[in-house]
Amino acid sequence: MSERIFVSEDPSAASPPPSESAPYSAWAPSLALRAHVTRIHLCLEPIAAGEEIVERVLPDGTVHLAFTLGDPVPGPRGDDALDAEVHGASTAPVIIRMAGRVEQVGVHLRAGAIGHVLGVPAGELAGERVSLDALWGRAADEARERLAAVPHGRARVAVMEAILGERLRGVDASPHRAALAALQRIVEHGGREKVRDVAAHVGVGERRLEQLFHQHVGLSPKAACRLARFRAALALIRRGHAWSDVVIACGYVDQSHLVHDVRAFTGLTPGALRREFGFLQSAAGA
């Protein structure tokens, strides 16, 4: 058994297309979907017979869909494998045990698009793993069949984009501007700005911002700030910065505050996190 950490990253629209032969590849969405989707990722990884990979997926705060086209992948709590599933926004790591032929297509939805694509408020999915059948009905199986009918790579991304385009056709699918602007500001400021200041910046009250985040994001504004700060810290940790420097750069009260968040968001001690980065996979990798 081998273990590794998975850290998702959004590809830039200006980035060259990723390698289709990489075990993981993240694709920037087409211009038509860019307001609704942050990335589409593909996974194709044959694992040797008798071997198992345990992957620790660190939270990124998005709601995402996953279609399994290869061997079944059990749920993170040991629950049943699903052919098509939705993972709600979360601040907790997810442990996935993989064996056999791992082949998946994933879609990470932008804040404001969840209701249009899935038909429910983002907050109702928070921290949950739900069968896509429960939300799309027969259309979930049809989508999986269409994805399985084309080869891994660019062709599969094109089919996924067509499926999403059909879901959005004929509806007022404009993302909610205030929710999107607030989340963008939180990320840009590394979660260091107070929630009341974020709300004031986008022209709403704190209570209204809470409602918007339940509807369109799936995390509370405070949780989104904590996660954004940790993601900023994680970027520095991956580059080998000293813990004391990370504390100062990211606005933690002290080192114990940072250690608390490392444990909360990764399930690991800081020392174990450093060691595990030797086995890191990145969804934005070419």
Side-chain angles (χ1 to χ4, degrees), residues 263-286:
R263 289 180 180 273
F265 290 117
T266 72
L268 298 171
T269 64
L273 179 64
R274 290 274 200 199
R275 291 192 296 272
E276 287 290 334
F277 274 142
F279 301 92
L280 181 138
Q281 292 280 338
S282 172

Side-chain angles (χ1 to χ4, degrees), residues 25 112 150 181 185 203 213 244 247 260:
S25 58
V150 297
R185 186 169 181 87
F213 268 53
S244 57
V247 167
H260 176 273

Side-chain angles (χ1 to χ4, degrees), residues 91 182-183 185-187 189-199 209 213 217 219-232 250 252 261 265:
T91 59
L183 186 59
R185 186 169 181 87
I186 287 170
V187 172
H189 286 247
R192 299 180 65 173
E193 196 168 27
K194 293 184 181 300
V195 171
R196 65 171 178 268
D197 294 332
V198 174
L209 189 64
F213 268 53
V217 179
L219 299 176
S220 70
K222 184 176 180 180
C225 286
R226 284 190 62 221
L227 181 57
R229 178 167 55 188
F230 173 72
R231 297 272 297 183
C250 297
Y252 284 97
D261 271 11
F265 290 117

Side-chain angles (χ1 to χ4, degrees), residues 20-277:
E20 297 189 14
S21 62
Y24 293 91
S25 58
W27 301 69
S30 64
L31 183 60
L33 290 175
R34 206 162 293 162
H36 313 288
V37 175
T38 63
R39 64 187 176 276
I40 296 172
H41 76 255
L42 304 180
C43 171
L44 180 58
E45 184 171 11
I47 299 172
E51 294 294 320
E52 181 184 59
I53 294 177
V54 178
E55 189 163 79
R56 184 179 299 267
V57 182
L58 302 192
D60 65 1
T62 66
V63 174
H64 72 273
L65 290 66
F67 295 87
T68 296
L69 309 177
D71 290 329
V73 178
R77 302 183 184 97
D79 39 355
D80 292 341
L82 298 172
D83 289 338
E85 58 195 279
V86 177
H87 292 261
S90 174
T91 59
V94 173
I95 309 299
I96 300 175
R97 296 181 176 274
M98 302 180 295
R101 181 181 174 85
V102 180
E103 187 172 2
Q104 287 190 330
V105 180
V107 178
H108 293 253
L109 298 175
R110 197 175 294 280
I114 292 97
H116 299 306
V117 174
L118 299 175
V120 295
E124 292 188 12
L125 301 170
E128 298 294 331
R129 172 180 179 255
V130 179
S131 170
L132 189 58
D133 292 349
L135 302 175
W136 281 10
R138 172 60 187 160
D141 286 337
E142 292 172 352
R144 182 181 176 278
E145 290 166 3
R146 288 169 64 181
L147 291 166
V150 297
H152 174 82
R154 188 186 301 273
R156 195 163 276 173
V157 172
V159 170
M160 189 70 255
E161 290 195 329
I163 292 167
L164 293 169
E166 291 160 12
R167 299 294 302 183
L168 294 167
R169 186 180 300 144
V171 300
D172 179 12
S174 301
H176 195 285
R177 291 183 180 179
L180 200 59
L183 186 59
Q184 182 176 349
R185 186 169 181 87
I186 287 170
V187 172
E188 288 176 350
H189 286 247
R192 299 180 65 173
E193 196 168 27
K194 293 184 181 300
V195 171
R196 65 171 178 268
D197 294 332
V198 174
H201 177 76
V202 299
V204 300
E206 285 187 67
R207 182 173 177 78
R208 178 56 178 157
L209 189 64
E210 289 274 357
Q211 294 170 341
L212 290 174
F213 268 53
H214 175 82
Q215 181 76 21
H216 300 290
V217 179
L219 299 176
S220 70
K222 184 176 180 180
C225 286
R226 284 190 62 221
L227 181 57
R229 178 167 55 188
F230 173 72
R231 297 272 297 183
L234 188 64
L236 298 180
I237 294 168
R238 289 173 64 182
R239 294 201 292 269
H241 286 249
W243 296 109
S244 57
D245 293 339
V246 176
V247 167
I248 295 170
C250 297
Y252 284 97
V253 175
D254 52 28
Q255 194 159 316
S256 64
H257 186 194
L258 172 60
V259 169
H260 176 273
D261 271 11
V262 167
R263 289 180 180 273
F265 290 117
T266 72
L268 298 171
T269 64
L273 179 64
R274 290 274 200 199
R275 291 192 296 272
E276 287 290 334
F277 274 142

